[in-house]
Amino acid sequence: MYRQEMRWNLPGRTRRILAFSDLHFCDKVVGRRAELILTTLERICQEEKIDYIFFLGDLINSLDVLSDTMLRMELKLFLDELAAVAPVIMVTGNHDVSYYTAGATKGRMVPEQWYRWARVLMQNERIHVLDVRFGKSHAVFDDGVMRVLGMSLPEMCYPTTVSNGRGSAEAFREYAEKVLPELIKVPGREYYLLLHNPQFLAHVKLDKRVAVLAGHMHNGLVPPVVDELMRFTSRGVVAPGYYNRKGRKMSYVPFGVGARYRPNEKRPWLTLNSCIHMPPESWLWKLDGFFPALSYAIISGDESKLKFSSKYFRC
């Protein structure tokens, strides 16, 4: 229905990357939908001769997924099959460490559950979860050509009880200043910074050689047709919203700050669209059929100028 092409060509890059984000795997993203997403990604990887797959967070929709044996097994099978095509490098998102479904635990962040399971995932040598919680060396992937830093953000950068404020921005800046030097300390590499929430990127100074990929914002929660009409702005039509004290999304903000980042010569940031646009835990999920179920970016160095467009698939 949309069939638009997304390519971000970066001069001097030799690795070919496919990046996608926000799968929000749950009982509503299984069966035909998960199969079509996997089949599409596998086909694109083969056609484009992809070297690595980047995943930018929110692999699961809620920690409840990890408590369900069948869902957990289906997700691991999905990742193992994907990693068989190309190595998968991923970062942690807010949904990966939180409970978002109904019940007494709704809104709680329990990161230990995610990190225990992430270690199980990494028993597959072709799956890498970049996170400083596993040790400083586990935050960086380096294959001798490409160097990738994964920033899994401090918990207060994802508040579920209050809107993000100055404290969150300060936490992001302090964390970034500690880990970013690790990315470019080895010369002669193609540098990538992966993180889930790009909201606070303006608070840190980034080396121009670093390409930044993020998710989380769901590209303003608008269909691609409307998104194309909004290319004059770097912000989204509708932001992802914020939460009341019960952890539920209550409001959506038109032209919210940070709802979208488009790359340009001076600011090499790309916020990807998402696999799942509407929250599966809310009534808004009924509207998700109007949106594409998969979008992705292909990053390469085929041309001398940075170019940007987008590709979407209905699943």
Side-chain angles (χ1 to χ4, degrees):
M1 181 175 179
Y2 301 114
R3 295 292 179 182
Q4 295 164 315
E5 181 73 20
M6 177 188 278
R7 286 181 187 273
W8 182 16
N9 292 304
L10 298 177
R13 308 272 163 161
T14 58
R15 293 291 186 245
R16 298 184 65 83
I17 308 300
L18 184 146
F20 72 113
S21 185
D22 292 85
L23 179 63
H24 288 267
F25 193 89
C26 62
D27 57 0
K28 297 179 180 178
V29 192
V30 293
R32 179 178 177 273
R33 191 167 199 176
E35 183 180 342
L36 283 171
I37 291 173
L38 178 61
T39 301
T40 301
L41 291 174
E42 289 177 337
R43 176 175 57 78
I44 297 302
C45 285
Q46 292 168 356
E47 290 177 355
E48 297 285 349
K49 297 180 173 58
I50 294 299
D51 296 307
Y52 292 98
I53 297 169
F54 290 169
F55 182 76
L56 305 175
D58 280 1
L59 178 68
I60 58 178
N61 189 58
S62 173
L63 281 171
D64 298 273
V65 170
L66 300 185
S67 303
D68 187 307
T69 302
M70 290 302 298
L71 285 177
R72 192 173 66 244
M73 289 176 60
E74 287 189 45
L75 178 56
K76 189 174 186 309
L77 181 61
F78 176 97
L79 290 172
D80 286 340
E81 290 187 22
L82 190 60
V85 180
V88 176
I89 300 173
M90 68 171 69
V91 292
T92 300
N94 55 304
H95 278 255
D96 298 321
V97 296
S98 302
Y99 282 93
Y100 278 84
T101 53
T105 57
K106 187 176 179 67
R108 283 184 58 209
M109 304 186 83
V110 190
E112 294 78 13
Q113 295 183 18
W114 162 257
Y115 290 112
R116 282 199 299 269
W117 193 64
R119 291 185 185 278
V120 174
L121 285 182
M122 289 191 291
Q123 292 175 4
N124 183 332
E125 295 181 353
R126 291 170 67 86
I127 297 178
H128 309 270
V129 183
L130 301 186
D131 200 304
V132 73
R133 291 197 184 215
F134 298 129
K136 195 173 182 181
S137 62
H138 288 277
V140 177
F141 176 88
D142 192 327
D143 68 353
V145 175
M146 176 186 74
R147 190 169 174 84
V148 186
L149 172 67
M151 286 180 61
S152 295
L153 304 186
E155 290 178 26
M156 71 179 302
C157 290
Y158 300 115
T160 57
T161 57
V162 294
S163 59
N164 291 23
R166 186 173 181 177
S168 298
E170 281 297 305
F172 178 86
R173 184 183 61 78
E174 291 174 6
Y175 173 59
E177 288 177 351
K178 290 180 181 178
V179 298
L180 279 175
E182 185 70 22
L183 177 58
I184 59 174
K185 79 173 188 179
V186 179
R189 298 288 196 268
E190 301 169 10
Y191 302 109
Y192 290 95
L193 171 62
L194 309 185
L195 74 165
H196 183 59
N197 182 4
Q199 184 173 352
F200 306 111
L201 277 172
H203 293 268
V204 298
K205 186 176 182 180
L206 291 167
D207 191 293
K208 293 182 180 178
R209 296 171 294 174
V210 177
V212 183
L213 301 174
H216 184 61
M217 296 301 185
H218 291 225
N219 238 9
L221 292 174
V222 297
V225 174
V226 180
D227 185 53
E228 288 298 305
L229 299 176
M230 300 303 298
R231 284 190 173 273
F232 65 88
T233 177
S234 64
R235 299 193 297 177
V237 177
V238 184
Y242 54 86
Y243 297 81
N244 71 355
R245 294 186 179 181
K246 295 180 181 178
R248 293 189 62 188
K249 290 184 177 180
M250 297 296 293
S251 179
Y252 290 90
V253 185
F255 292 91
V257 175
R260 179 195 294 107
Y261 287 110
R262 301 186 189 280
N264 57 47
E265 298 287 352
K266 294 182 179 180
R267 187 191 64 199
W269 306 347
L270 175 60
T271 302
L272 269 68
N273 211 325
S274 60
C275 290
I276 302 302
H277 286 70
M278 296 301 180
E281 72 277 6
S282 79
W283 64 269
L284 289 172
W285 173 260
K286 296 176 182 178
L287 303 176
D288 198 64
F290 294 101
F291 291 77
L294 175 64
S295 60
Y296 63 87
I298 293 178
I299 302 163
S300 65
D302 295 339
E303 300 185 17
S304 60
K305 278 194 171 183
L306 183 148
K307 290 172 58 177
F308 167 62
S309 57
S310 40
K311 184 141 199 158
Y312 304 90
F313 282 89
R314 289 297 301 272
C315 290

